[in-house]
Amino acid sequence: MNDLVRIEAASSIAAVERDTGLPKDTLRVWERRYGFPAPARDANGERLYPPEQVEKLRLIRRLLDHGRRPAGIVRASTEELTRMLDECLCPADAAAAPRDDSLLQLVRLHRNVELNAALRKALMKQGLQRFVAETVAPLAAAVGEAWMRGEVDVPEEHLFTEQVQNVLRSAIGAHSVVGGRPRVLLTTFPEEEHVLGLLMAEAMLVPEGASCLSLGTRTPLADIRSAALEGEFDIVGLSFSIAYPARQAIDGLLELRATLPPNVGIWAGGGAVRDKQKRLPGICVVGDLDDTLAALRDWRASHAS
């Protein structure tokens, strides 16, 4: 009877992928390489994951999003993963200042209409750049922290991203100028699907008179190079979330730098490349939104006629 109950409570590999955001292929590779997860099999040989393994996979996914690597966490116990997660969340920083969680609560409750209205109200009050710095960036951090704690799941994270994207794209369109300098091409490398960093950078640059074009996410290096050259862009801006492998980001950036002429600048920002400036000669590593504006001022100073 207990085995029957466990089987009925188990999840298919497709359900685990939806629940945790971990691709099926990744789950299979970990199973072979690390011995975890260790699913049971049904009568047809299909994988079935018991609830305790799904919960451990959720913890692993949250740690991956915070920059941990599979080799260091997949074999760890649930207790060890929980301790690592508590360390990542830095409660001392979270307690440093009070935070308005009203927007985060709308995300948790799936209140997309109210969330959209609240975001637009904040945009009207703050203006685009302050809205990005004072509302979007803290809310993104809060959603990320809530994801790490297991307080929001994939659907809530998608709701947040979709609503913020809608508001930012509309506002960016209202600020766009023709013929502004520098001309900035924005995109991400293949396997990087997080678009919010690109939009936030664009929202900081456009009000300053820069001319931005976004290729969206997951652009092959050869396509980035050809677009930069054919479009005569001054700068290629790339965003890397904290979940993107740092080594892969560095190798790709150095390869791109070698294929572009020196007059085309490369700016890189996001968690995966933070504090990596020494390993990225010839590339401007942008640490935060203020650094984006500082990089813009430096470029204009060096190109003043």
Side-chain angles (χ1 to χ4, degrees):
M1 176 66 71
N2 287 339
D3 289 342
L4 179 60
V5 171
R6 284 177 58 81
I7 290 174
E8 289 179 347
S11 302
S12 68
I13 192 169
V16 173
E17 182 180 48
R18 289 193 302 271
D19 188 339
T20 65
L22 295 169
K24 297 175 187 177
D25 288 344
T26 297
L27 296 171
R28 296 187 187 103
V29 168
W30 289 355
E31 185 180 333
R32 294 194 302 270
R33 184 175 299 171
Y34 305 118
F36 182 85
R41 301 278 181 159
D42 65 12
N44 298 317
E46 300 295 329
R47 290 171 171 81
L48 291 174
Y49 298 80
E52 61 271 17
Q53 292 192 28
V54 177
E55 178 57 33
K56 182 176 173 180
L57 287 168
R58 290 193 191 105
L59 292 171
I60 290 171
R61 167 61 198 275
R62 291 166 194 147
L63 285 164
L64 290 174
D65 283 351
H66 208 72
R68 298 297 183 99
R69 298 291 174 252
I73 60 177
V74 173
R75 292 193 182 98
S77 68
T78 300
E79 292 73 21
E80 290 170 327
L81 293 171
T82 301
R83 176 180 52 77
M84 292 179 197
L85 187 58
D86 288 341
E87 292 172 357
C88 288
L89 292 174
C90 300
D93 292 344
R99 186 179 67 204
D100 180 6
D101 283 339
S102 59
L103 293 175
L104 179 59
Q105 187 66 5
L106 294 176
V107 174
R108 288 180 175 138
L109 296 175
H110 292 247
R111 306 286 284 272
N112 60 312
V113 175
E114 291 93 332
L115 177 60
N116 185 278
L119 290 170
R120 292 186 182 280
K121 181 178 179 181
L123 173 62
M124 290 180 63
K125 289 177 62 177
Q126 296 171 321
L128 182 54
Q129 289 176 321
R130 281 187 57 211
F131 172 68
V132 171
E134 299 178 16
T135 295
V136 176
L139 180 57
V143 171
E145 182 179 312
W147 161 258
M148 294 279 288
R149 292 189 184 279
E151 297 168 358
V152 301
D153 292 321
V154 173
E156 290 84 9
E157 188 181 26
H158 288 175
L159 165 67
F160 155 73
T161 303
E162 180 181 359
Q163 294 303 323
V164 172
Q165 285 184 45
N166 290 341
V167 173
L168 283 180
R169 285 194 172 111
S170 176
I172 289 168
H175 283 79
S176 294
V177 295
V178 178
R181 296 289 303 275
R183 287 173 45 78
V184 184
L185 181 69
L186 296 165
T187 191
T188 71
F189 281 175
E191 300 178 19
E192 174 58 86
E193 59 186 19
H194 292 83
V195 72
L196 193 54
L198 294 179
L199 280 170
M200 292 169 69
E202 187 174 2
M204 297 298 289
L205 292 169
V206 167
E208 298 293 327
S211 178
C212 297
L213 174 67
S214 177
L215 296 179
T217 60
R218 308 180 72 169
T219 306
L221 265 66
D223 293 346
I224 296 173
R225 177 185 181 278
S226 61
L229 295 178
E230 292 171 10
E232 299 182 347
F233 284 91
D234 301 302
I235 296 162
V236 175
L238 298 138
S239 176
F240 300 90
S241 66
I242 197 167
Y244 196 88
R247 179 72 263 173
Q248 191 172 331
I250 292 168
D251 290 346
L253 284 165
L254 294 175
E255 180 181 346
L256 183 63
R257 178 67 284 169
T259 64
L260 287 174
N263 64 297
V264 179
I266 299 177
W267 296 356
V273 295
R274 186 171 293 121
D275 302 323
K276 300 294 190 298
Q277 181 65 74
K278 291 183 179 179
R279 300 171 66 183
L280 291 167
I283 294 165
C284 175
V285 175
V286 179
D288 55 28
L289 296 171
D290 287 338
D291 285 349
T292 303
L293 296 182
L296 176 63
R297 289 192 295 270
D298 290 346
W299 185 91
R300 285 178 168 162
S302 65
H303 291 78
S305 55

